[in-house]
């Protein structure tokens, strides 16, 4: 199975009127740190507050008329997108999630009319439940990252980036299962083969990074993270997102929980943005000095705003954050 720019263009037509063309805005603070124009692609302005709407709408709207329902596993935003799209089509939606998913994301999905099943303590456990529902109840399973329609839908972000700033030298993409990175890289490099696309992930439980190092999908331990949306494996039978990321990404950069913490503060105080931990990993990599030098403008994708506001308030106020058995020591911004 292969994907091309034509699939991404078809996805954009299918999503028209549901997913929006989001703003691309400069960050003066991050531009000063980068030495080049540093731009923020504000996917947190999508109707569900996250980029996942794109792939979910393309997949759900692409189902045959006789489909009677959908299921998926999710760390939060994919489930929200599937719930939103299923409600628009009048379909039943069952979203499977692990106990690590923040309560705010669970509640957000239920508010869109979907059923939520909590299964185990990992994305792999949630995936097993989703597959069971597909087999036993005849629901159509929509992968959060290894589905051609999902990847093509996420790829529409790459189209918009290249249309809005054809002079981009690089794109920094939050990296989890690879659906977003695969779609963006596929689209952007089809238009500009020399553009560099980097995946950015947390340094604990970075499944795609470990798979790319090993040359094949591998299992990783999922642990609590400020970047909770980037948790989970890529699937041992991954067909699409792994090979596309392997072949099209210029590299993967890992950031620590402390670097994510400081980037969440920076985007709030400098750019006035409420952003999930997963959304700020590109900024975190820049602020930590982990990126190469660039010869032109750089964009990163602010992937979502669906953060637990109590935890977010703790971060911006400089309080300690407990992530399972790992303590992120707080500090006031700028100290």
């Amino acid at each position: 199975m292969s994907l091309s720019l034509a699939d991404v263009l078809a996805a954009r037509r299918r999503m028209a009127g549901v997913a929006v063309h989001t703003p691309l805005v400069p960050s003066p603070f991050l531009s000063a740190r980068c030495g080049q124009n540093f731009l923020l692609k504000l996917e947190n302005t999508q109707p569900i507050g996250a980029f996942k709407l794109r792939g979910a709408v393309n997949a759900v709207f692409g189902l045959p008329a006789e489909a009677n329902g959908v299921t998926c596993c999710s760390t939060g935003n994919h489930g929200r997108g599937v719930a939103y799209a299923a409600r628009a089509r009048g379909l039943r939606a069952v979203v499977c999630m692990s106990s690590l998913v923040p309560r705010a994301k669970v509640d957000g999905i239920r508010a869109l009319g979907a059923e939520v099943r909590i299964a185990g303590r990992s994305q792999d456990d949630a995936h097993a439940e989703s597959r069971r529902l597909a087999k036993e109840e005849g629901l159509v399973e929509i992968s959060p990252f290894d589905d051609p329609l999902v990847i093509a839908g996420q790829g529409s972000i790459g189209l918009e980036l290249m249309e809005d700033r054809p002079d981009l030298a690089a794109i920094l993409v939050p990296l989890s299962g690879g659906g977003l990175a695969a779609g963006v890289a596929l689209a952007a490099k089809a238009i500009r083969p020399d553009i560099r696309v980097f995946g950015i992930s947390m340094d604990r439980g970075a499944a795609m990074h470990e798979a790319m190092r090993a040359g094949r999908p591998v299992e990783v331990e999922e642990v609590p993270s400020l970047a909770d949306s980037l948790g989970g494996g890529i699937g041992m039978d991954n067909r699409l997102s792994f090979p596309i990321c392997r072949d099209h990404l210029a590299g993967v950069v890992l950031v620590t929980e402390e670097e994510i913490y400081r980037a969440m503060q920076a985007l709030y105080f400098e750019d006035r943005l409420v952003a999930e931990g997963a959304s700020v990993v590109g900024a975190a990599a820049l602020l930590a000095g982990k990126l190469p030098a660039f010869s032109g403008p750089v964009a990163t994708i602010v992937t979502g705003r669906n953060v637990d506001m109590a935890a977010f308030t703790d971060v911006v106020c400089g309080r300690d954050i407990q992530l399972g058995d790992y303590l992120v020591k707080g500090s006031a911004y700028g100290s």
Side-chain angles (χ1 to χ4, degrees):
M1 184 180 299
S2 62
L3 285 166
S4 70
L5 184 61
D7 297 299
V8 181
L9 291 167
R12 180 159 68 173
R13 290 191 295 271
R14 186 177 285 127
M15 295 182 301
V18 184
V20 302
H21 185 132
T22 54
L24 181 65
V25 302
S27 168
F29 172 74
L30 295 172
S31 296
R33 295 296 189 96
C34 184
Q36 299 285 348
N37 286 333
F38 195 93
L39 305 156
L40 306 174
K41 178 66 167 167
L42 300 182
E43 284 297 297
N44 57 337
T45 61
Q46 288 290 353
I48 66 162
F51 81 96
K52 290 282 192 177
L53 181 64
R54 295 174 183 260
V57 168
N58 193 40
V60 172
F61 283 27
L63 292 175
E66 61 269 20
N68 64 359
V70 295
T71 184
C72 68
C73 62
S74 175
T75 55
N77 287 327
H78 177 62
R80 195 181 289 245
V82 168
Y84 188 98
R87 184 172 69 175
R89 270 206 59 177
L91 295 175
R92 178 191 178 201
V94 184
V95 179
C96 303
M97 313 175 83
S98 83
S99 60
L100 293 179
V101 176
R103 181 73 185 186
K105 293 189 175 183
V106 175
D107 291 343
I109 289 168
R110 286 195 173 116
L112 290 169
E115 302 169 43
V116 175
R117 303 281 178 91
I118 303 299
R121 284 187 50 80
S122 73
Q123 180 80 331
D124 289 339
D125 293 335
H127 187 199
E129 177 65 7
S130 180
R131 283 182 294 186
R132 185 192 69 78
L133 288 168
K135 181 179 180 181
E136 296 181 8
E137 299 189 22
L139 302 177
V140 177
E141 185 178 20
I142 300 176
S143 169
F145 49 81
D146 200 36
D147 180 291
L149 293 177
V150 168
I151 293 173
Q154 321 303 28
S156 62
I157 297 173
L159 287 182
E160 292 176 13
L161 285 168
M162 300 311 298
E163 289 169 352
D164 292 347
R165 287 300 298 255
D167 58 338
L168 284 176
I171 305 171
L172 311 178
V173 186
L175 178 63
S176 178
L180 174 62
V184 169
L186 184 76
K189 292 185 75 67
I191 296 167
R192 273 263 315 282
D194 63 332
I195 194 168
R196 291 193 289 172
V197 181
F198 292 86
I200 319 290
S201 194
M202 69 287 194
D203 66 354
R204 304 191 309 148
M208 185 61 76
H209 170 70
E210 294 300 327
M212 290 173 65
R213 287 181 59 187
R216 56 180 174 79
V218 295
E219 294 182 353
V220 296
E221 181 184 358
E222 188 174 348
V223 297
S225 172
L226 286 171
D228 56 86
S229 293
L230 301 185
I234 69 167
M236 299 303 289
D237 57 350
N238 188 294
R239 302 167 301 149
L240 290 170
S241 65
F242 169 67
I244 295 173
C245 287
R246 178 196 61 204
D247 296 343
H248 291 283
L249 293 184
V252 176
V253 178
L254 302 182
V255 291
T256 68
E257 297 297 330
E258 290 76 13
E259 289 161 352
I260 295 168
Y261 184 106
R262 289 192 288 272
M264 291 174 74
Q265 290 182 325
L267 261 68
Y268 177 76
F269 285 104
E270 303 292 347
D271 293 293
R272 307 300 192 264
L273 291 179
V274 173
E276 300 177 36
S279 297
V280 307
V281 291
L286 172 67
L287 294 172
K290 293 184 172 180
L291 298 175
F294 297 111
S295 60
V298 180
T300 191
I301 303 167
V302 181
T303 48
R305 66 171 187 263
N306 299 317
V307 62
D308 181 288
M309 289 306 294
F312 183 80
T313 300
D314 286 340
V315 170
V316 298
C317 290
R319 301 179 188 126
D320 293 352
I321 297 289
Q322 190 71 46
L323 300 169
D325 60 1
Y326 187 89
L327 178 67
V328 182
K329 290 292 292 181
S331 60
Y333 180 66
S335 63

